[in-house]
Amino acid sequence: METSTVVDPLRISVIGTGYLGATHAVCMAELGFEVIGVDVDVDKIERLGAGEVPFFEPGLEELLRKNLESGRLSFTTSLADAAGMADVHFVCVGTPQHPDSNAADMRYVDAAISGLIAGGLRPDSLVVGKSTVPTGTAARLADRLAADAPGVELAWNPEFLREGFAVDDTLRPDRLVFGVGADSTAEATLRRVYASVIDAGTPVVVVDYPTAELVKVAANSFLATKISFINAMAEVCEATGADVTHLAKAISYDARIGGRFLNAGLGFGGGCLPKDIRAFQARATELGVGKALAFLAEVDAINIRRRTHTVALTTRLLGGTTAGRKVAILGGAFKPNSDDIRDSPALAVADALHRAGAAVAVYDPAAIPNARRLYPHLTYADNAVDAASGAHIVLHLTEWTEFRELDPAALNQVVSTRIIVDGRNTLNPARWRTAGWSYHALGRP
């Protein structure tokens, strides 16, 4: 990927080198800045420093190696090094669901700020939050910086990355949101950081802290609601004999609705949408406006119900029992072009079928190493044909291109029974039926 870069004397640190942080660090170097990435995970830092991305993201490793070779990008475990070196510090640590509630766990954000302060932030530097946080966090952290690191400003610049498209979403985003305090110079600094991106036509929305914090969770809540809506329609279609794919196409022509995220199927997963809508509800309840977001509980419930429905459908197609039956699962990542298995619907179904007595074999082009660590009791295959060998039913649960293009005839001679469940509604029903398969999909007759 060719990117126009202009070397700028501003130096940048990125705190946290997980999915968001590693991508941001690499892309900031690609834009021409001297960048240092920081993480407490020694193995992760060593791998990044050696030019190896610890997760699957198309195009990122190529840019990582390019910018390591240029000398613009480096990695360290020392927050003190970052605090003393950089002019702008991007906080990109995780905010997972709290282990004891639906709220966001803020320990990593707070630890990053504490580490920067202890490391000796320069008075003229800027701390920029990119992590998804509950509203009120930025104001709290700004007060802390004012007390413990006078002269250091805070801004909030939420991320909107799509896994599988993260490099493009960073270098060519559809918008930039800058949350800044009153009488702040942070906007000017952020415009300098993103100058080439802005010059390319990306719109900038400058807002206060609470609005910046709400933008990401509001966007994710809307997308989750749209996905759960069409999956609710799939339930109705199954009860009436209607076809949800035709229904979605028909309503998508209404410009007010559109067709994006109207693909009925197994539902959403990953590290953002599920935990973000739960944390949003939890924070709204704390603020006394929980009723305003009560609908998100049903959005979440509809999404989870698609998994149990898929297990029930599989059981019915197997004659009422899964005990002793072999089930081939095509897909492990929560979405294609990713090895992320966090809250993966595909693996949730695989695990439920295993617990019900089925012999489950899983194949995914990228996610098998991660899946093995979390679900060591499942069996894993090296390819789709091996997964389907001896299978009484095949479940298509992650919409990789490889699976959409799979020739059903390639499986005909290896399966025990030609039954397929299209959990993503992306296979060609006529193609599979012509090859002799009993084809079933969610929300379709």
Side-chain angles (χ1 to χ4, degrees):
M1 179 182 298
E2 294 297 324
T3 306
S4 175
T5 60
V6 178
V7 176
D8 189 294
L10 273 181
R11 291 174 296 180
I12 290 174
S13 82
V14 177
I15 316 304
T17 58
Y19 184 81
L20 166 61
T23 302
H24 196 68
V26 170
C27 289
M28 289 298 100
E30 180 68 9
L31 291 179
F33 298 99
E34 181 183 346
V35 179
I36 184 169
V38 189
D39 205 291
V40 297
D41 188 327
V42 175
D43 178 66
K44 188 184 298 182
I45 288 298
E46 289 178 347
R47 291 175 67 182
L48 287 166
E52 179 187 351
V53 175
F55 50 85
F56 181 81
E57 180 59 36
L60 186 60
E61 192 157 279
E62 174 189 352
L63 289 187
L64 169 65
R65 293 175 178 174
K66 171 186 172 183
N67 285 286
L68 286 171
E69 291 172 4
S70 75
R72 287 195 298 267
L73 180 61
S74 62
F75 295 92
T76 182
T77 57
S78 172
L79 262 176
D81 288 350
M85 180 278 277
D87 306 289
V88 181
H89 306 274
F90 285 95
V91 176
C92 298
V93 297
T95 54
Q97 186 172 324
H98 196 282
D100 299 323
S101 71
N102 283 338
D105 188 341
M106 296 300 296
R107 77 180 80 176
Y108 306 111
V109 171
D110 289 333
I113 298 300
S114 295
L116 285 170
I117 292 171
L121 285 167
R122 296 204 312 267
D124 59 346
S125 59
L126 174 65
V127 175
V128 184
K130 290 195 72 68
S131 304
T132 304
V133 297
T135 184
T137 300
R140 175 174 64 83
L141 296 179
D143 288 343
R144 185 175 177 197
L145 287 170
D148 298 337
V152 176
E153 289 199 77
L154 179 81
W156 219 263
N157 171 220
E159 59 88 9
F160 303 100
L161 302 188
R162 298 167 298 161
E163 293 196 34
F165 303 91
V167 171
D168 200 53
D169 285 346
T170 304
L171 297 175
R172 284 170 285 277
D174 52 17
R175 80 284 208 190
L176 289 166
V177 176
F178 299 159
V180 298
D183 302 319
S184 171
T185 61
E187 179 188 344
T189 302
L190 286 170
R191 286 186 178 275
R192 184 174 166 187
V193 170
Y194 291 109
S196 61
V197 176
I198 296 169
D199 289 345
T202 300
V204 177
V205 183
V206 182
V207 297
D208 53 30
Y209 290 149
T211 305
E213 292 165 325
L214 286 171
V215 168
K216 175 64 183 293
V217 290
N220 276 355
S221 295
F222 185 86
L223 297 178
T225 300
K226 196 170 183 181
I227 295 168
S228 283
F229 168 80
I230 199 62
N231 281 331
M233 293 303 100
E235 291 188 30
V236 176
C237 285
E238 289 170 2
T240 60
D243 188 321
V244 73
T245 62
H246 295 162
L247 173 67
K249 183 177 181 180
I251 65 176
S252 73
Y253 288 109
D254 187 326
R256 298 168 299 177
I257 297 173
R260 298 192 67 187
F261 291 87
L262 276 185
N263 301 316
L266 190 53
F268 56 82
C272 289
L273 261 63
K275 65 101 175 172
D276 283 356
I277 64 173
R278 294 165 193 159
F280 199 11
Q281 293 174 78
R283 182 57 176 150
T285 299
E286 292 172 352
L287 294 170
V289 290
K291 290 183 179 179
L293 298 183
F295 71 95
L296 288 179
E298 184 57 27
V299 167
D300 198 8
I302 291 169
N303 187 57
I304 297 300
R305 199 156 61 236
R306 303 314 287 159
R307 305 175 189 189
T308 56
H309 176 74
T310 301
V311 172
L313 173 62
T314 301
T315 303
R316 178 172 64 80
L317 293 172
L318 289 174
T321 181
T322 56
R325 302 300 187 93
K326 181 173 180 182
V327 179
I329 304 287
L330 302 184
F334 87 93
K335 64 175 291 187
N337 298 316
S338 172
D339 64 352
D340 193 344
I341 63 165
R342 289 176 294 177
D343 206 1
S344 164
L347 290 176
V349 169
D351 186 53
L353 288 168
H354 168 82
R355 287 186 282 105
V360 177
V362 179
Y363 168 65
D364 186 280
I368 295 300
N370 289 338
R372 283 186 193 277
R373 285 190 286 270
L374 195 61
Y375 298 92
H377 49 280
L378 299 180
T379 299
Y380 297 93
D382 294 329
N383 54 63
V385 174
D386 285 351
S389 180
H392 297 93
I393 192 168
V394 176
L395 275 57
H396 169 236
L397 303 183
T398 307
E399 61 271 35
W400 286 91
T401 300
E402 175 181 337
F403 299 149
R404 294 200 305 271
E405 296 178 350
L406 184 65
D407 183 358
L411 304 184
N412 280 359
Q413 304 308 312
V414 301
V415 296
S416 291
T417 313
R418 297 179 189 176
I419 305 173
I420 187 161
V421 173
D422 184 3
R424 293 298 180 180
N425 277 308
T426 55
L427 302 180
N428 184 324
R431 189 173 182 226
W432 285 83
R433 286 169 175 152
T434 299
W437 286 72
S438 175
Y439 173 92
H440 305 268
L442 304 183
R444 306 177 77 173

